[in-house]
Amino acid sequence: NCLDALLNQTRPADEILVINDGSDDKSMEIVNKYPEIKVINHEGNKGLATARNTGYKHAEGEIVVYVDSDANADPEMLENLIKEYHDAGVSGVGGRGIEAKITSKFDLWRKIHSSQQSGEEIIPNHKWLWGLCSSYRKSALEAVGGFDVFYRTNAEDVDIGYRLTQKGFRLVY
């Protein structure tokens, strides 16, 4: 579902990279059905922050958009993210996650207690962007040394946001 959503954007992606972080399920069988998608394999699981770093280091463009594999991007996601980069001072743009698929008590807990959004209004100076739907200028990520690999499973998004804003980079939600 994630890949289909990315391939059916109103503003087509320049490239789509999948970082295989040592998956041992059938993910790669699915990804291999899409010849237009480039796969970068990690030897073993290195964690979320390392996978995000691999993504921006291999991306050809200046703006890198992250979409988690369990997210379904709205058809206008890329169009909406990219248009906020009209201001050269913007270093990152992100959106809201809507918990739509509740299949476990963990999903329900996250929906109730850990919503990944700040509402529907644009916030021109946000402190961080949620990782499931975020984008950054590659040069900004490089300026702060990328994502901190300490964050293997979560909080990499909050950390990079705080490090970027502390250095004067501007994030738009």
Side-chain angles (χ1 to χ4, degrees), residues 89-96 115-131 133-134 136 157-158 160-166 168-173:
V90 173
S91 297
V93 181
R96 65 187 189 138
S115 176
Q116 296 187 50
Q117 64 168 311
S118 290
E120 295 183 25
E121 301 298 319
I122 293 174
I123 301 171
N125 291 293
H126 209 262
K127 296 293 182 197
W128 75 87
L129 306 170
W130 283 272
C133 172
S134 58
Y136 301 93
D157 48 4
V158 174
I160 195 78
Y162 281 133
R163 290 190 293 119
L164 285 164
T165 56
Q166 285 174 350
F169 291 102
R170 189 157 68 89
L171 305 177
V172 175
Y173 167 87

Side-chain angles (χ1 to χ4, degrees), residues 84-121:
E84 293 301 324
Y85 285 98
H86 68 276
D87 179 343
V90 173
S91 297
V93 181
R96 65 187 189 138
I98 299 169
E99 202 70 46
K101 186 177 177 184
I102 309 296
T103 59
S104 72
K105 62 183 176 185
F106 304 109
D107 295 335
L108 182 59
W109 184 93
R110 186 171 57 223
K111 180 177 182 155
I112 295 169
H113 301 289
S114 187
S115 176
Q116 296 187 50
Q117 64 168 311
S118 290
E120 295 183 25
E121 301 298 319

Side-chain angles (χ1 to χ4, degrees), residues 18-23 39-55 58:
V18 168
I19 312 305
N20 176 15
D21 194 34
S23 67
V39 177
I40 299 157
N41 292 298
H42 283 173
E43 289 187 29
N45 180 274
K46 299 184 183 299
L48 187 53
T50 299
R52 293 204 193 288
N53 286 336
T54 298
H58 284 85

Side-chain angles (χ1 to χ4, degrees), residues 43-78:
E43 289 187 29
N45 180 274
K46 299 184 183 299
L48 187 53
T50 299
R52 293 204 193 288
N53 286 336
T54 298
Y56 89 77
K57 290 176 182 176
H58 284 85
E60 293 181 15
E62 169 62 4
I63 297 177
V64 180
V65 178
Y66 294 98
V67 178
D68 289 353
S69 62
D70 61 349
N72 290 327
D74 180 274
E76 296 177 350
M77 180 200 69
L78 284 178

